[in-house]
Amino acid sequence: MSTGRMRMGRGTSRAHLDHPHPGHLDLLAFRTARTVARRRGARPALHPHGVVLAGRLVVPDHRIRWDVPWLDRPGAYRVTARWSRAAGLPRPLPDGLGLALRVEDADGPGRALELLLTSSGHGRWTRHLPLPRRSATAGPYSTLLDYVVGDHRGVVAAFPVPGTARVPADPGAMGAAPAGRSVAFELGVGAATGWWPLARLTLLREEASRSGRAFDPYENCLPGFRPVDRLRTLRAAAYAGSRAGRSGGRPG
């Protein structure tokens, strides 16, 4: 990233954003997200209604090497997931759905991986498009934008495992689902030739704590496994604006 572009991590302040170097679209994204989060009573600007779930991610012994440390060794990792409705529309209206993941210690102690996935299609073009749904387990969730995965590049997606029961797109239903049935997803990366498997995610139970935490796929990516730079500053600005609005509470 050039020195003329803004860099926004968890500690981004308004002073950084008022600097003359950030682009107009970045500032607009920040201020819009901040305003929406404030008006929603410190909820996120997007995905305001959701549920936090504890899960487990298992990386198998792959037949190919990715040249990505956490994918090239079999392992199991503790996961915190947040499932949510993007626009907060009332049921039974379909809504864009989100699945945010924090994979603890993926690159060693204290080095977490965070992913933001959105309900999407699985085709070459529809994997990049958000698609509203009435069921939380009716189709894939994807990063929409490509990831760099070793020497490869493609969308990262989570597909419901065949046989997974349909769960209504409602936080209460999604929170209760793991108690009575298996809710599992296969993570893969899309390429021109198809999908390559990465890991299996199993959601285990609803978790009451940490419901208000933010997920940041740019700050918490791993060596050889990161989002592409396209729209990076715009998305980072929106994340920072949402966090600023939530920490500031309701506007005075």
Side-chain angles (χ1 to χ4, degrees):
M1 190 185 307
S2 68
T3 56
R5 305 295 289 176
M6 67 178 166
R7 180 180 182 276
M8 285 184 273
R10 293 189 188 276
T12 302
S13 68
R14 180 174 178 174
H16 289 124
L17 291 164
D18 286 338
H19 193 274
H21 287 305
H24 294 299
L25 288 178
D26 297 338
L27 288 171
L28 178 61
F30 174 85
R31 290 168 179 165
T32 299
R34 180 182 60 187
T35 299
V36 173
R38 283 177 174 174
R39 289 178 177 174
R40 282 184 161 168
R43 287 185 179 273
L46 289 174
H47 302 277
H49 303 297
V51 60
V52 176
L53 301 141
R56 178 181 176 88
L57 188 78
V58 176
V59 177
D61 188 1
H62 292 293
R63 295 180 180 178
I64 64 171
R65 285 189 58 83
W66 292 97
D67 291 327
V68 178
W70 78 282
L71 291 177
D72 286 339
R73 57 175 182 262
Y77 304 91
R78 182 167 57 89
V79 170
T80 299
R82 184 177 189 268
W83 180 92
S84 56
R85 291 174 66 88
L89 299 176
R91 287 189 61 205
L93 294 175
D95 201 343
L97 309 177
L99 184 62
L101 304 176
R102 178 178 173 88
V103 184
E104 302 291 351
D105 302 327
D107 197 42
R111 288 285 295 136
L113 168 69
E114 293 187 347
L115 292 169
L116 292 182
L117 307 168
T118 301
S119 54
S120 70
H122 65 271
R124 184 174 181 182
W125 304 113
T126 58
R127 68 184 66 171
H128 298 283
L129 300 176
L131 297 178
R133 291 204 186 102
R134 289 190 173 91
S135 168
T137 54
Y141 296 74
S142 90
T143 54
L144 301 185
L145 295 180
D146 285 350
Y147 261 62
V148 173
V149 183
D151 293 332
H152 303 271
R153 175 173 168 151
V155 161
V156 176
F159 294 85
V161 170
T164 298
R166 290 290 181 97
V167 179
D170 173 78
M174 194 62 180
R181 68 200 94 175
S182 175
V183 180
F185 297 85
E186 292 285 355
L187 267 65
V189 59
T193 55
W195 292 93
W196 293 83
L198 297 177
R200 174 173 284 213
L201 167 71
T202 303
L203 302 179
L204 302 173
R205 63 185 179 278
E206 184 175 356
E207 191 135 288
S209 62
R210 301 177 67 182
S211 60
R213 77 170 312 280
F215 294 77
D216 191 326
Y218 293 103
E219 183 173 324
N220 296 305
C221 56
L222 300 180
F225 193 92
R226 60 174 179 81
V228 297
D229 288 335
R230 183 186 177 195
L231 301 181
R232 179 182 181 125
T233 59
L234 189 65
R235 296 183 73 179
Y239 300 151
S242 184
R243 288 196 296 268
R246 295 167 69 188
S247 63
R250 295 183 183 276

